[in-house]
Amino acid sequence: MAKIYIDTCTLLDFYRSATNRLDVFDEIEKRSAVIVFTEQTIHEFRRSRVSCLNKLIDEMSKPSLFVATTAIVSTFPEHADLIRLQKEAFNFRKVICNKMKEWLEDEFNDPVHKQIAKLTQGPNLYPTFPDAISRAQTRKLLGNPPVSPDKHTIGDELIWETLLKVCEDDLIIVTNDNTYRDNIAFLKHEYFQKTNHKLLAVTASLNEALKKIGSDSEKIAIAEKEILIKSARYPFPLTLESKCPSCGGELEETGYEGGEGDEAWWVYCLQCGKEHFPSEFEKAQATPPHPGS
């Protein structure tokens, strides 16, 4: 049966999920016989989880409620309750931030890392073989894909060389990285030449990869949709004052609240109806005007 390789960014998406979807790991563990990682991938994950957690801590530390303190506002009897609730909310946020800081200090307190560590044991983890680094450096010098975005690193090259050397099955790659997706023909040819097996697909969706081998999961599909809503990658930030990147129309906020306290929100275009899923409206400063606006 084909193997499915999951890249670093896909693993980091578990920190960006709109809801608590750690139970999705149970679905992945059931399919662990077909899922593989490389040693380099796990090194990258362990480094990158730090920045993910620091970002969450920064976001959680920001005040989320503005309370006017003018004399006229303070005459309302509800004003004191509002101030009290604001202080309580701040204290709860502080507790949550301190717990995430504990995850930073001890990665095995981090529930995401703990689950991934369970998945990356034994035959699921492809080690870096002795001459893998020299091969990756040669690939970098030749400019052959996949090429790491940072010209000083060889992460993607090392991962690909490991897959070529160690994987003995047809392969599906789960990644958002364009260096794989834009060079699919080259990679398919090389994979077949080096392994006598097929690179079946490069996809951004783990569930789509599982579907290709008849093992898809509704839970994983739902989690991926929520992650997309929460953290879809856009070439520039959107604000509620922005125009639709597709047609230049006005944007309207929408969202949902689930039955278990989960929620997500995004915007849709009043003109063309297209939905857009920015991750941080409040951080956006300006958006390049749409040519048609």
Side-chain angles (χ1 to χ4, degrees):
M1 182 175 285
K3 293 294 191 292
I4 298 173
Y5 162 72
I6 304 176
D7 81 339
T8 310
C9 285
T10 304
L11 297 178
L12 293 172
D13 276 340
F14 282 100
Y15 292 105
R16 306 176 182 120
S17 177
T19 62
N20 179 14
R21 289 294 172 183
L22 293 179
D23 58 338
V24 170
F25 279 114
D26 293 336
E27 294 291 293
I28 296 175
E29 193 169 4
K30 292 174 187 175
R31 297 156 174 81
S32 60
V34 299
I35 293 175
V36 297
F37 306 89
T38 71
E39 186 177 1
Q40 174 64 18
T41 306
I42 302 309
H43 289 329
E44 291 177 359
F45 167 76
R46 292 177 66 197
R47 293 196 305 267
S48 298
R49 63 176 281 277
V50 174
S51 60
C52 279
L53 286 172
N54 278 325
K55 183 178 179 181
L56 288 173
I57 291 169
D58 288 343
E59 291 176 351
M60 186 62 66
S61 300
K62 293 175 186 174
S64 59
L65 179 64
F66 170 74
V67 180
T69 55
T70 61
I72 188 64
V73 172
S74 63
T75 62
F76 290 100
E78 296 84 1
H79 185 266
D81 289 333
L82 187 57
I83 294 295
R84 176 180 56 80
L85 290 172
Q86 185 188 44
K87 289 180 179 178
E88 287 182 7
F90 175 79
N91 289 334
F92 282 125
R93 292 161 77 92
K94 189 174 180 180
V95 169
I96 292 171
C97 287
N98 287 338
K99 288 184 177 180
M100 286 194 285
K101 287 176 182 177
E102 291 177 5
W103 296 358
L104 285 172
E105 294 175 5
D106 184 352
E107 58 189 17
F108 284 97
N109 280 329
D110 177 349
V112 175
H113 177 274
K114 191 182 298 184
Q115 292 287 345
I116 289 174
K118 281 175 61 180
L119 288 172
T120 55
Q121 296 178 1
N124 296 78
L125 184 63
Y126 291 169
T128 302
F129 59 95
D131 61 339
I133 293 177
S134 62
R135 290 191 183 190
Q137 288 171 332
T138 300
R139 180 174 294 274
K140 169 77 81 177
L141 291 172
L142 293 174
N144 288 336
V147 179
S148 301
D150 185 338
K151 64 180 181 180
H152 301 297
T153 63
I154 55 170
D156 285 323
E157 294 88 343
L158 185 56
I159 289 167
W160 182 242
E161 289 292 346
T162 303
L163 292 171
L164 288 175
K165 179 74 172 181
V166 184
C167 190
E168 298 179 345
D169 298 276
D170 292 345
L171 179 67
I172 301 170
I173 294 177
V174 179
T175 181
N176 270 304
D177 193 338
N178 287 336
T179 192
Y180 289 93
R181 298 166 70 179
D182 292 346
N183 296 284
I184 183 67
F186 183 99
L187 298 176
K188 280 185 174 182
H189 176 77
E190 183 177 25
Y191 191 77
F192 183 77
Q193 290 294 110
K194 298 283 180 66
T195 70
N196 203 33
H197 292 284
K198 295 179 180 179
L199 176 60
L200 298 176
V202 174
T203 174
S205 166
L206 173 57
N207 198 54
E208 286 300 313
L210 291 168
K211 189 180 293 185
K212 289 182 181 297
I213 61 172
S215 187
D216 50 315
S217 160
E218 184 178 357
K219 280 189 177 181
I220 293 175
I222 292 171
E224 288 188 324
K225 183 176 181 181
E226 291 175 348
I227 289 169
L228 175 66
I229 290 170
K230 178 67 177 175
S231 64
R233 299 162 182 85
Y234 259 80
F236 52 83
L238 297 174
T239 71
L240 291 177
E241 290 72 38
S242 299
K243 301 295 184 181
C244 174
S246 300
C247 73
E250 298 294 326
L251 297 176
E252 180 76 19
E253 180 182 348
T254 186
Y256 76 88
E257 293 185 7
E260 299 178 359
D262 55 310
E263 61 178 22
W265 60 286
W266 58 98
V267 295
Y268 69 96
C269 177
L270 294 173
Q271 182 168 304
C272 70
K274 187 170 182 180
E275 294 177 333
H276 302 285
F277 309 113
S279 58
E280 296 178 0
F281 278 72
E282 73 277 4
K283 284 188 178 180
Q285 300 297 319
T287 302
H290 188 275
S293 61

